[in-house]
């Protein structure tokens, strides 16, 4: 055999490997020493992106950005660098945004924000939550950032090879957000919390970067035939897949008289898409900590015929994971309590994350930025109750 040809073949095959996206057919190129594989796809909803099966590295340590403290719930993931592996978006407590890449050779997150921001603004707000979705339909992940206080909600939108800070002109006291196409026009809509007020739904307009408030899409007023009182002080909202093939809206707050603290609302085919004025809204049984203190909703997951609800006590900070059996009866039947398990923090006393993701292996894994000490090692799989 001609050994020069053999050497060339070895060189070529050396550039074809099983990349971060897991495909053995991916070809790799290098940019500034970074291997670049075929870009990962973006899920259709923020829930799908958070719980993507290929997203397995979901914790960013406290020292990931030198000299900065990160907001734990500000992290979200996507293939922002278009390199065939998940990177992270995070916000620091001094209101600056960062894009981090995973460097396999050193097993560490690396701040490479300048590559994506260029000279553009990285200023944020008092960030409380971040989600990933493709708002402008360019097949690249964008970020929506919930902002508390009086700041407008923000987006960081892909534009060519960079990201641009975009003011949504949505003024709510934000804490949580979800993105999905509610009205079926192919454009993502937003469901946003507004502290001490009713959550809001904003319709995505053509182009996906502006939104119009749609109060008629969520009806929560008392009406004839109402079977459930809306919680007060709603600070959590999630849009999750349902057993009907559509989506459910989950709200968490404080139980009102005649109601429950967390409620499930099945999406309807016409306006109002979500309502408490029929049998398609039901409450979850209240969860308490071991001292009988009320626990607040922090995260929720749908899997097969169950909801898994992550709650945290407002008094003791204990975190519980609870399972409820659900169904798609008409009218909707209340989720049935199955079991609760209290999550134990590490011996270091470093606390527990307030977010998790459901893995493709059927376990829960921490989802956060700014973990420290043994808390970063709590990524061991948690078995559902």
């Amino acid at each position: 055999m001609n050994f020069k040809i053999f050497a060339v073949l070895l060189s070529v095959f050396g550039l074809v490997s099983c990349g971060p996206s897991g495909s053995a057919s991916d070809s790799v190129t290098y940019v500034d020493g970074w291997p670049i594989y075929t870009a990962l796809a973006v899920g259709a909803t923020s829930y799908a992106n958070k719980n993507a099966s290929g997203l397995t590295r979901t914790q960013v340590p406290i020292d990931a950005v030198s000299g900065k403290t990160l907001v734990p719930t500000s992290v979200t993931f996507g293939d922002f660098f278009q390199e065939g592996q998940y990177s992270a978006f995070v916000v620091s407590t001094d209101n600056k945004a960062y894009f981090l890449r995973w460097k396999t050779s050193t097993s560490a997150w690396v701040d490479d924000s300048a590559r994506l921001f260029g000279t553009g603004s990285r200023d944020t707000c008092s960030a409380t939550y971040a989600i990933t979705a493709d708002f402008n339909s360019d097949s690249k992940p964008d970020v929506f950032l919930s902002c508390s206080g009086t700041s407008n909600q923000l987006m960081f939108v892909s534009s060519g090879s960079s990201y641009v800070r975009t003011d949504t002109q949505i003024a709510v006291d934000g804490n949580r957000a979800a993105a999905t196409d509610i009205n079926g026009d192919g454009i993502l809509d937003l469901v946003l919390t507004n502290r001490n007020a009713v959550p809001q739904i904003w319709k995505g307009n053509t182009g996906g970067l502006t939104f119009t408030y749609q109060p008629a899409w969520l009806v929560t007023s008392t009406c004839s035939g109402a079977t459930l009182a809306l919680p007060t002080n709603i600070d959590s909202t999630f849009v999750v897949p349902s057993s009907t093939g559509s989506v459910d809206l989950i709200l968490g707050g404080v139980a009102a008289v005649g109601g429950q603290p967390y409620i499930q609302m099945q999406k309807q085919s016409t306006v109002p898409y979500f309502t408490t004025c029929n049998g398609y809204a039901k409450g979850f049984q209240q969860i308490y900590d071991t001292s009988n203190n009320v626990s607040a909703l922090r995260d929720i997951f749908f899997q097969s015929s169950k909801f898994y609800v992550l709650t945290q006590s407002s008094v003791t900070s204990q975190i519980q994971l609870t399972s409820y059996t659900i169904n798609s009866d008409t009218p909707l039947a209340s989720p049935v309590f199955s079991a609760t398990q209290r999550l134990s923090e590490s011996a270091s006393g470093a606390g527990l994350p307030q977010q998790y993701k459901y893995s493709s292996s059927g376990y829960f894994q921490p989802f956060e930025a700014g973990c420290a000490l043994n808390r970063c090692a709590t990524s061991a799989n948690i078995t559902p109750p």
Side-chain angles (χ1 to χ4, degrees):
M1 179 178 181
N2 187 314
F3 286 98
K4 290 185 178 179
I5 295 177
F6 181 68
V8 170
L9 288 173
L10 284 178
S11 176
V12 170
F13 282 118
L15 295 178
V16 181
S17 61
C18 185
S21 60
S23 172
S25 63
D26 281 350
S27 60
V28 61
T29 57
Y30 287 84
V31 176
D32 296 337
W34 289 89
I36 309 297
Y37 297 87
T38 302
L40 302 179
V42 187
T45 67
S46 57
Y47 181 93
N49 286 304
K50 182 189 173 197
N51 292 282
S53 60
L55 177 57
T56 57
R57 190 178 296 108
T58 55
Q59 284 183 292
V60 176
I62 197 168
D63 57 354
V65 179
S66 179
K68 300 294 182 179
T69 301
L70 304 179
V71 179
T73 55
S74 74
V75 69
T76 191
F77 297 88
D79 188 1
F80 301 113
F81 290 90
Q82 296 293 278
E83 60 184 347
Q85 72 170 353
Y86 283 99
S87 37
F89 171 93
V90 293
V91 175
S92 60
T93 54
D94 62 347
N95 302 336
K96 297 292 182 183
Y98 295 87
F99 283 107
L100 311 180
R101 303 171 84 172
W102 180 257
K103 193 168 186 178
T104 303
S105 61
T106 58
S107 296
W109 290 103
V110 175
D111 178 12
D112 202 12
S113 304
R115 189 182 301 270
L116 295 186
F117 283 123
T119 58
S121 174
R122 296 166 57 176
D123 294 339
T124 62
C125 56
S126 182
T128 55
Y129 196 65
I131 57 174
T132 298
D134 181 13
F135 288 97
N136 60 353
S137 301
D138 65 352
S139 298
K140 298 178 182 178
D142 306 307
V143 174
F144 180 90
L145 190 62
S146 288
C147 303
S148 65
T150 58
S151 300
N152 287 348
Q153 312 303 283
L154 299 177
M155 297 173 70
F156 288 88
V157 180
S158 63
S159 177
S161 60
S162 62
Y163 277 78
V164 178
R165 179 187 185 275
T166 303
D167 188 333
T168 66
Q169 300 299 310
I170 298 175
V172 296
D173 189 356
N175 187 60
R176 290 292 186 269
T180 190
D181 179 11
I182 294 174
N183 64 332
D185 64 355
I187 303 172
L188 288 175
D189 309 305
L190 291 167
V191 183
L192 308 176
T193 56
N194 187 18
R195 291 180 194 268
N196 300 317
V198 174
Q200 297 183 3
I201 299 181
W202 290 73
K203 176 186 176 296
N205 299 321
T206 301
L209 302 183
T210 63
F211 302 87
T212 302
Y213 180 38
Q214 300 291 331
W217 287 16
L218 174 61
V219 173
T220 60
S221 58
T222 301
C223 57
S224 176
T227 58
L228 184 68
L230 193 73
T232 61
N233 300 326
I234 295 172
D235 62 359
S236 296
T237 181
F238 303 93
V239 178
V240 301
S242 75
S243 53
T244 65
S246 183
V247 294
D248 290 338
L249 174 62
I250 310 294
L251 303 177
V254 177
V257 176
Q260 298 285 352
Y262 343 115
I263 67 169
Q264 170 196 8
M265 305 170 75
Q266 274 190 342
K267 180 178 174 293
Q268 307 298 292
S269 58
T270 58
V271 175
Y273 292 112
F274 301 101
T275 176
T276 55
C277 292
N278 57 30
Y280 297 93
K282 296 295 181 181
F284 293 74
Q285 177 181 323
Q286 175 75 68
I287 300 300
Y288 301 88
D289 67 11
T290 55
S291 299
N292 207 37
N293 297 302
V294 172
S295 293
L297 179 62
R298 293 290 180 250
D299 215 337
I300 194 163
F301 316 89
F302 168 80
Q303 186 64 25
S304 299
S305 60
K306 287 184 179 293
F307 278 132
Y308 293 100
V309 177
L310 188 79
T311 57
Q312 182 178 34
S313 168
S314 57
V315 178
T316 65
S317 296
Q318 289 178 11
I319 291 182
Q320 293 83 219
L321 187 60
T322 303
S323 63
Y324 297 85
T325 302
I326 59 172
N327 57 53
S328 56
D329 290 349
T330 303
L332 184 67
S334 296
V336 178
F337 173 84
S338 296
T340 292
Q341 68 181 32
R342 179 186 173 191
L343 304 188
S344 300
E345 63 181 280
S346 62
S348 67
L352 284 166
Q354 293 185 12
Q355 296 183 90
Y356 286 77
K357 80 173 288 283
Y358 192 83
S359 75
S360 58
S361 301
Y363 298 97
F364 293 96
Q365 60 189 86
F367 190 101
E368 64 167 342
C371 64
L373 303 174
N374 291 340
R375 178 158 153 176
C376 292
T378 59
S379 55
N381 291 330
I382 298 172
T383 303

